Amino acid sequence: ESNSMTQELTELAAAIEEEIALGQDLLDNLSAQRKAILGWKISTLIERIESREALLLSLGAVEERRLRIASRLSAADAQPSLKEILSRTSPSEQTSELGRLREEARRTYTRLQAEEKSLLALMENLLAHIREALSPLAFPEVRLYGEQGASGGSRPSSGLIEGKI
């Protein structure tokens, strides 16, 4: 194998390692978001969401770099997969390391996808409970005040007060 091929494979491995590290940072970020939501810490949640955006920008840049390296390794395909590159490259310590990194990246991003889905479900669930709890306040079943400004009847109880959350 040529020296440039070895160097390209090394750069590819470094890019994948960086993607895995960013994936771990994103998992940590989701965990912090979940904790902030459950603790009703809105300012912390906003900070975590903002830092997630920065992580996603970094991930986009690393992914572009990885794709450029991959396309240099395989002139035949515009965007070859790592699996295709490995199948065309003679086995070596480098290719087995790339295979290990490929599997670790797949596991990390599969977990990240599942965690994002779970966090979204949690937020939707909480939002539904909040809407249910506050609906009597938004749409009272009775007029709260009469013509003279005096209380016009009993106020419907809130789901929040009844402990429906």
Side-chain angles (χ1 to χ4, degrees), residues 54-115:
L55 288 169
L56 290 174
L57 284 174
S58 297
L59 182 60
V62 175
E63 186 176 15
E64 280 181 34
R65 192 175 88 222
R66 179 182 52 80
L67 290 172
R68 276 196 312 273
I69 297 165
S71 65
R72 288 195 308 254
L73 279 165
S74 178
D77 295 326
Q79 290 191 344
S81 70
L82 183 55
K83 187 176 184 176
E84 291 166 350
I85 291 170
L86 290 174
S87 71
R88 296 179 197 156
T89 309
S90 56
S92 68
E93 194 174 308
Q94 254 187 328
T95 56
S96 65
E97 174 64 6
L98 276 167
R100 185 192 67 74
L101 288 171
R102 175 179 169 263
E103 183 55 31
E104 186 177 347
R106 188 192 63 72
R107 274 195 317 270
T108 300
Y109 283 91
T110 299
R111 184 170 162 225
L112 184 61
Q113 194 174 30
E115 291 291 330

Side-chain angles (χ1 to χ4, degrees), residues 130-144:
I130 290 168
R131 280 194 183 121
E132 181 184 338
L134 296 179
S135 66
L137 302 176
F139 307 105
E141 294 171 16
V142 296
R143 281 188 23 208
L144 300 179

Side-chain angles (χ1 to χ4, degrees), residues 41 44 47-48 54 74 89 107 109 111 145 165:
K41 296 183 177 168
T44 303
E47 287 171 16
R48 295 295 93 216
S74 178
T89 309
R107 274 195 317 270
Y109 283 91
R111 184 170 162 225
Y145 298 98
I165 291 188

